[in-house]
Amino acid sequence: MDTFDRFGKGMVSDSSDSPVVKEGVVEKDIIQLNRLYSTFSRIYQVIINVHEKDEVLRKICTIAVAYGKLQMAWFGLIDDTGRYLKPVVFAGKEQGYLDNMKIDLTDEKQKIEPIVQAVHEGRCIFCRDISTDPRTVNSRDESLKRGFRSSITLPIREKSKVIGAFTAFAYDLMMFDELENQLFEEIGQAISFALDMIEKEKQRSLIIEELEKSEERFREMFDNAPMAYHELDDQGHIVRINNTELAMLDYTADEVIGRHVWNYVFDREASHERVLNKLKGNEPLSQYNEFRLIRKDGEPIAVLAQDRLLRNDKGVVTGIRTIFQDISELKKAEQELLIAKEKAEESDRLKTAFLHNITHEIRTPMNAIVGFSGLLNEPALDPGERKHYTEIIVQSSNQLLSIISNIVNIATVEAGQEKVNEKQINLNATLRQLKDQFILAAMKQNISLNCTTKVPDEEVDIITDEIKLKEILDNLIENALKFTMLGSVDIGYDIKGEFLEFYIKDTGIGIPAEKHDEIFKRFYQVEMDSDRRFSGSGLGLSISQAYVQLLGGKIWLISEPDKGSEFYFTIPYKRSAFKKSDGFTEKKKQIVETESPKTLLIAEDEDLNFLLLEKLLSGANVRIIRAVNGQEAVEVCKSNPEIDLVLMDLKMPVVNGYDATKQIREYFPDLPVLVQTAYVNDADRNKVFECGCTDVICKPIEQEMLLMKIRQQLDKVN
Ligand code: ADP
């Protein structure tokens, strides 16, 4: 083997580090040097191009073995304890040399070993002849066994701290001069530098990765923050906007980026001015400000915003950063709370006023009743005084009754228990009746009360709930008279298509426009203070309104203070199918206009009821037979086949009206049986018809209705 064909330049006999140059080897020197340079240059390439620590070390070993004509090269690194150096990579004919290799850097015996020295002293250690070098005493046998005759060890640094060593073995003895020494030192430094760079690069990558992650986290936070966020440039254009705000406005980023922010504000003009002023620094930045944005669909959104001016290094304003929150729900809740509070306060005020009034309204008639009742016992009372006191008591009782019935009525309406009970009435007659009722009071007040019934009587036989209609008119007329000191009260109605429109006009004190809705509220009175001039409970109009609505109409008013009031309300115009009888002239009372009277059987056990019926039928051209119980009724029918109609009571002794009707039906299938009853519900009514009766008439019986029903029944069989 050519001993010069290696790193070394010739045989060496001593162990010193100084190279000994032999003569006649100049050409080989150059070749060797070239090889050395080419090896080092390859190693440099690796250092420059490879960025992975283990890979760099492995490649350097490989190059050293392949091009440096070395038999084995390996890298050892100091472990985490700082005590041991362990092999990490190698190249070449290792032949088990590194098996279980673990160099204890603190071991006194090993201290002289070249590798330990290189690590401790941080310099290159050449061992030109392992067989004679005293430093190799511990490892010599293992090396020579594998043919390793010389070695070189370079310390490897990272951040100037030795972290390991590179060792290469040659089969030949080596000789090194100053230049090679230097080259090896440099290569050691280059490897250290490379490792430093790799470490730095690793750190840099980690930092970049960390930065990217944190930027990602920030972006995620920015985009989906619970707060909406945008940034404007110095012209008021939107340059950044987060998802929260985009979702709030229902726009995409493309639709808003680059556009002026005031395009998305409800009050555009004001916003335009405000933003530009802020950018010019003319407007102080308030801590928070409230305004409304506008969604794509035009819906406004209330927001609470906070602005921050953005400035460059020179302090010049470059934009505005705004964060804000949708406070629509909050605003809505606030508004609802305010309304609820106002309502509660109003209701409290009304209740207090009501209690105050009602106490007064009840106490006044009660005082009169109690006081004058006591006086009635005075023995010295003359008949004139007694009459006067009695009148006061009756009048006060009626007043009290009306207040109580008002309270009961409103309670029934509120409980939803008020039902409509329709029947046929003649509207003109009802109005005339009401006029009669109030005329005296009007005269006493020196007010003219006019009732106009333009439509002929026969056209206003209508079906409605008379009690409720009367109650409505009653309340409105009473109010009109109460709040009018001078002038007149006019009542009447017009037919307006499918509705009847009533009016009650007065020339009284009038009502301010802002109270027109209020007066329909329970207990509300325009004058609510304790020194109010007018009596009343504040319930009349709310009852009237509830009744009008129940009847299927509406109520409203036209009124101005000092100019009087006009109350209007409507109800459906339901004309009765039956022809109204034209008053009760003797002729019209007749059930039949023929010579021969009709025979009626009245089955009625109560004498008073019979008498009443007899009275109601007097002059009706009828012959009456009476039966005092159901059984008698059946027998009378059998023995008097001329009977034209039976008027049957239901509650009778021996045989009741139901059974009697059934039995009569068996003998006289076509005989009309008109049942008089105070039935309450549909079940009762059905039961009556199941017995075979032909019609029913409700108690209390009205003459007109009675005659009409009898006439109808007789018409059917004739
Ligand atoms: P009351 O008459 O018992 O006070 P209402 O509910 O009937 O209660 O009326 C409520 C309020 O409406 C009255 O207290 C009064 O202030 C006002 N009002 C009603 N009708 C008239 C009217 N014709 N003229 C002036 N004010 C009226």
Side-chain angles (χ1 to χ4, degrees), residues 479 482-483 506 511 519 524-526 536-538 540-541 565 567:
N479 278 348
K482 186 161 64 178
F483 296 105
D506 66 56
I511 303 161
I519 55 171
Y524 192 90
Q525 295 172 312
V526 175
S537 58
L541 285 181
S565 307
F567 279 83

Side-chain angles (χ1 to χ4, degrees), residues 6 216 313 392 443 530 558 607 624 644 650 674 706:
R6 299 283 181 270
E216 183 62 36
D313 300 346
I392 293 175
M443 274 161 70
S530 51
I558 299 171
D607 289 345
I624 292 170
D644 296 298
L650 286 177
L674 182 57
L706 176 69

Side-chain angles (χ1 to χ4, degrees), residues 119-130:
V119 168
H120 283 322
E121 293 168 24
R123 65 185 178 88
C124 259
I125 304 289
F126 295 95
C127 184
R128 294 188 172 85
D129 187 353
I130 291 171

Side-chain angles (χ1 to χ4, degrees), residues 3 16 27 43 64 131 263-265 476 484 502 624 639:
T3 53
S16 99
E27 199 186 325
I43 288 175
S131 62
N263 288 316
Y264 309 97
V265 179
L476 297 176
T484 304
F502 293 84
I624 292 170
S639 51

Side-chain angles (χ1 to χ4, degrees), residues 4 53 629 693:
F4 295 104
K53 191 170 168 179
N629 60 49
C693 90

